[in-house]
Amino acid sequence: MLDDLNDRQREAAETIDGPVLIFAGAGSGKTRALTYRIAHMVREKGIAPEHILAVTFTNKAANEMKERITRLIGDDARRLWAGTFHSICSRLLRRYGEEIGIAPNFVIYDEADQTALIKQAVSIADIDSQAYTPTRIRWAISSGKNELLDPQDYARARKGPFDEIVARVYSRYQQALRENNALDFDDLLVKAVELLRSRPKVLAALQERLRYVLVDEYQDINYAQYELVKLLSARERNICVVGDDDQSIYGWRGANVGLILSFQADNPNTRVIKLEQNYRSTQKILDCAHAVIRVNEDRAEKRLWTENGAGDNLVVYEAVNEEEEAAYVAGVVARQVRNSGTRYADYAVLYRANAMSRNLESAMREKGIPYEVVGGMSFYDRGEIKDLAAYLKLIYNLDDSISLRRIINKPARNIGEGTVSRLTQLAHSEGVTLFEACRLAGEESDLRKAQKEAVLHFYSMIRRLHEDAAAMSVSGIVKAVLERSGYTDALQASGKADDADRVDTLGELVTDAVKYEQSADEPSLGGFLERLALLSDLDKAEDLGSSVSLMTVHASKGLEFPIVFIVGMEEGIFPHERSMGDQFELAEERRLFYVALTRAQRMVYMSHARGRTIYGSPHGMIPSRFLKDLPPESIDCKFDADSPLMPRMFGDEEAAVRERTVLAGGIDITDVLRRARENSAAAAAQRQEPQTPPAQPSGGETVPEPTEAGKRKPAGATRKKAARSPAKQKKAASVQPLGTGTKVVHEDFGEGIVVSVDEKGDEPAVTVAFVAKGIKKILANHPKLKVRR
DNA sequence: GGACACAAACTTTTT
DNA sequence: GTTTGTGTCC
C-alpha cells in the first residue's frame, strides 16, 4: 500500500505511535502522506477509524482528506472524525455543553454580531466609542480568548488604559453572550477547553474514543487550540502534527509559530520527519522561494528540491499603474490561452488585499476572460443572506436579541429605532428577553397603537415559525421564513435590479438547504445554521473548472496552479504598510510571499506598479524589498517599452536605475530608460506645449528656480496653510517656487515632477509629469498643488 | 418612522 | 473608492 510513497513519506505514514512532528514543505505530497498514513493505520494496523481524530484548518481540507481516504479504504472512512477545530468544538459543545451551562441550541455569532453586541456593551458602560472603536475592542477580546484569558485574567494582565476599557467591555460582552445563548467563534474553542478541563468524565470519554490525534497545518495553531489538542491526546500520546513553519501566515489571528518549533521540546521522544522533495514546482521557482525565505531567522532549516527540471525564468513586470498592471495580467492570460494550449483554470492571480481584485476583474471582463473571485465578500456575507440567517437563528433560539434587532424591521414594518429602544427598556425592567418584551409591549405599554400592532404582529409571526419549525424540513423552514416575513415580496415590489438579484441569491440559499438535507446524516435547523456560520466561501469553491482564479495570497494556501501571477509587489502593499514597523510581522509578510511563490507549478509572473491609487488618491510606489532577494539569474525583468517612463519620485534616479538593473538580471537598461524618457518628454511637448524644451531629468543637482511670482511672495507660510486647508486657499494666491525638476504633489493626481514652466499667461502655469496619471498642465498656484518636502 | 443626501473615515490577511 | 454615520426633509 505504501509503495506509492517516497522514503520520507513512507516513514511519516508508518510512524503511528508516540509523538510525531512532520515538517512538510510546500508541494511535498503532505496530504498524500497523511491519507496513506490513516489508511495504513486502519488497514494494516487494524485501528478502528472511530479512534482517529484528524483536525484541519478548513472544511475543504477536511473533506478532501476524507475523500482521499475513502478512495483508499472505502466507506470505513466515514467513521473517522475529521473536521476543523471550530466544527469539532461546536459538536462537542452541542453534545456536552450543558455540563458547563451552555444550552444545546446556542447560536454562533459572526463578526458582525460580535461587533453589534460590543457596541451595546460599550454604550451601557458609557465608554467613549470614538476613541475605542468596537472593532478594536473586538480584536482585543479575541486575542485574549486565543490566549485563554477570561475577563478576570484579562483585567489582571492589563497593561494600559485601553486594556482597562477592554477588560470592562469583555466581561459585559460575555454576560451578553450568555443572555443571548450565543457563542462567538473564539468561544467555541475556549468553552471546549473549559469543558475538558473541568469535566474529567467528559475528557476521559473522549480520550477513550480518540486514541490517535492528527493535526494538520500545525504552524497556524493558537494557544487555545494547542491546549485542546494537548488535552485530547494526553492519555495515549499518539499525537502527530504536520506543518511548515515557513508557511505560518496567521500570526495576526493568534497563531503561534513557536508552538510548532517547540513541539519537540514539549514532547519527549518526538520523531521528526522532514518532507523536502517537492512534486509541484520547477527548480527555478523553488530557488526563488528559497532565496526569499532564507532571509528569515528562527526557522527550522530545510530546503526543497525537485526532480521536475529547471523550468523557465520567473518574470518581474514593471507596470505604470494598477490599471496597466491588470491589463498586462489579462493580456498574458489571453495570449497564452490562445497560443499555448493552456486553459483559464490553469491561472491564478494572487494579491495581498481583497480590495485589489477590482482592477483585475475589470481587466478580465474587458478581455472576455472568465474569472472567479475566491473568498472576499462571500456569498454568506451578503446582506440578504445574513438577514435570512438572522431569522433562522432567532427561530432556532428565541433569546438571540442581536438577530432579532437585525430583522425586526426587515422588511420595513414600522418598527423604528425609537420603538426598539423602548422594547429594550421594557426587557430590562421586566427582566425578560427582547423577544418576550415584544409580547409585553403589545399588551400594555406607552407605544402608539400602530407600533403596538406592528410589534405584536412580528412577535406572533416569529412565534408561529418557531413552533411550526419543529415539524418542518430545513428547506421548508427557509421557504416559510421568506414567505411569511414578507421579505421576498418586499424585494420583488421594489422593482430595483439589485433587489431582483437578491431574490436569486435567496433562492440559492434554498437550494443550499435542500442540498444540506440530502447530504447530512441528521439534518436539522441547528446543523444548517452551524454550516452557515462555519462554512466559508473558500470551502464552497470547487468548481473552478474553466475560469481564472482571483484571490488573496492567504486564500491560496494549500492550492496549486500551473501559472501564478502575484500582483502589487510594492512597498506598503506587499509587505503591507501596517506590518513594516515590526520585524515579526515583516517576517510573516515574507512567509506570505513564500506561500504565494510556492503555489506555482510552472511559472510565476510578479508585477509592481510605479503608481497606484490607494483609497481614492494616487501614490508613487517603490518595488517591494522582497523582489531584491530573488536570484537575478532566475528572473526576467520586463516592462512596456511604449509606456511613458516617468523619473522616479522617491530616492535618486541612479538608485532606481541600479535597482532596475539588478531586477533585469544584470543587464544594463540605463539606455532603455533614457530613451524612453526622451520619448515621453517629446510626447509631452507635442501634446501639451509645443514650444517647451524637453524635460530635464530629475537629477539630484537640479535646483528649483523660483518663478517670477514666487519671488514676489515668500511661499513658506502659504504652503503650510495650503497643506491644512487646500480648498480655502483658492483666493489666497499661494504662489509657489516651482521650477523644472521640482517634486510636487497634487491632491487629485498624486506625486509628480515639474517638466516645464510657462510664465506667459496671466498666471504662471507648469507642466507636471504625474507618476500615476501622466502629464498635465496646471496653474502654478493651484491650491491642490504643493511642493514635496 | 423612513428615505435620501452628504460628509467622514478608513481597509490586511479569516475559522 | 467604498462604506458608515449624520442630518434633513417628508
Side-chain angles (χ1 to χ4, degrees), chain A residues 474-494:
Chain A
V474 175
S475 61
I477 299 170
V478 174
K479 279 187 233 162
V481 167
L482 288 173
E483 279 164 28
R484 297 198 212 166
S485 67
Y487 200 96
T488 314
D489 286 348
L491 288 178
Q492 274 158 352
S494 91

Side-chain angles (χ1 to χ4, degrees), chain A residues 618-622 647-651 704 719 736-739 741-747 749-754 768-771 784-789:
Chain A
H619 293 263
M621 307 300 291
I622 319 178
R648 293 207 174 246
M649 293 305 119
F650 291 93
R719 217 188 306 147
Q736 306 178 29
L738 296 174
T742 310
K743 292 170 186 177
V744 294
V745 59
H746 187 278
E747 259 181 54
F749 305 132
E751 287 123 354
I753 189 155
V754 176
V768 181
F770 289 102
V771 181
K784 288 187 171 179
L785 191 68
K786 277 171 275 170
V787 174
R788 259 182 70 79
R789 241 165 279 157

Side-chain angles (χ1 to χ4, degrees), chain A residues 45 94 99 123 138 155 255 283 313 325 439 525 569 572 615 691 708 722 724 726:
Chain A
K45 297 283 172 179
R94 297 248 185 244
E99 301 247 357
S123 71
R138 170 167 57 74
Q283 189 60 52
N313 274 1
E325 177 182 53
R439 185 175 58 84
L525 182 54
M569 292 302 305
Y615 39 50
Q691 325 81 324
E708 273 302 299
R724 266 189 234 114

Side-chain angles (χ1 to χ4, degrees), chain A residues 498-673:
Chain A
D498 286 359
D499 286 340
D501 289 345
R502 292 198 177 98
V503 175
D504 293 343
T505 308
L506 291 167
E508 274 182 62
L509 194 77
V510 176
T511 312
D512 214 48
V514 173
K515 275 195 205 151
Y516 163 75
E517 283 164 8
Q518 288 163 354
S519 66
D521 293 337
E522 282 174 51
S524 67
L525 182 54
F528 185 62
L529 281 172
E530 181 168 313
R531 216 172 105 95
L532 231 45
L534 299 181
L535 206 65
S536 74
D537 229 25
L538 297 183
D539 301 317
K540 234 191 152 197
E542 6 177 287
D543 48 349
L544 294 171
S546 56
S547 35
V548 174
S549 300
L550 272 48
M551 67 185 95
T552 63
V553 183
H554 281 91
S556 77
K557 199 175 77 159
L559 305 178
E560 61 182 5
F561 299 89
I563 297 139
V564 168
F565 291 86
I566 309 169
V567 301
M569 292 302 305
E570 296 135 38
E571 290 289 293
I573 302 279
F574 203 174
H576 193 272
E577 195 170 7
R578 304 230 329 221
S579 69
M580 295 198 336
D582 180 299
Q583 60 161 325
F584 292 101
E585 289 181 39
L586 248 170
E588 183 155 309
E589 293 284 308
R590 186 176 284 283
R591 293 192 292 268
L592 192 59
F593 183 40
Y594 176 80
V595 167
L597 286 169
T598 51
R599 295 312 92 201
Q601 295 169 326
R602 291 210 305 272
M603 188 61 188
V604 178
Y605 294 86
M606 290 158 270
S607 57
H608 67 273
R610 288 200 302 271
R612 180 179 296 275
T613 306
I614 298 171
Y615 39 50
S617 52
H619 293 263
M621 307 300 291
I622 319 178
S624 169
R625 65 190 71 187
F626 298 149
L627 293 177
K628 296 193 183 106
D629 296 318
L630 298 170
E633 67 277 9
S634 300
I635 296 293
D636 286 336
C637 188
K638 297 187 177 175
F639 53 91
D640 185 353
D642 292 336
S643 73
L645 274 162
M646 298 303 154
R648 293 207 174 246
M649 293 305 119
F650 291 93
D652 64 310
E653 177 136 340
E654 286 296 311
V657 171
R658 253 182 282 121
E659 172 187 289
R660 260 179 109 142
T661 307
V662 171
L663 289 174
I667 305 153
D668 189 347
I669 57 167
T670 319
D671 194 46
V672 182
L673 233 172

Side-chain angles (χ1 to χ4, degrees), chain A residues 149-157 166-168 170-172 174:
Chain A
L149 300 174
D150 66 19
Q152 290 76 42
D153 299 331
Y154 197 98
R156 244 175 277 129
V166 172
R168 274 166 61 200
Y170 185 6
S171 107
R172 281 180 183 281
Q174 284 308 110

Side-chain angles (χ1 to χ4, degrees), chain A residues 373-391:
Chain A
V373 180
V374 181
M377 173 68 173
S378 79
F379 178 77
Y380 302 103
D381 283 339
R382 291 187 215 172
E384 59 273 25
I385 296 295
K386 292 191 123 187
D387 287 343
L388 185 56
Y391 271 103

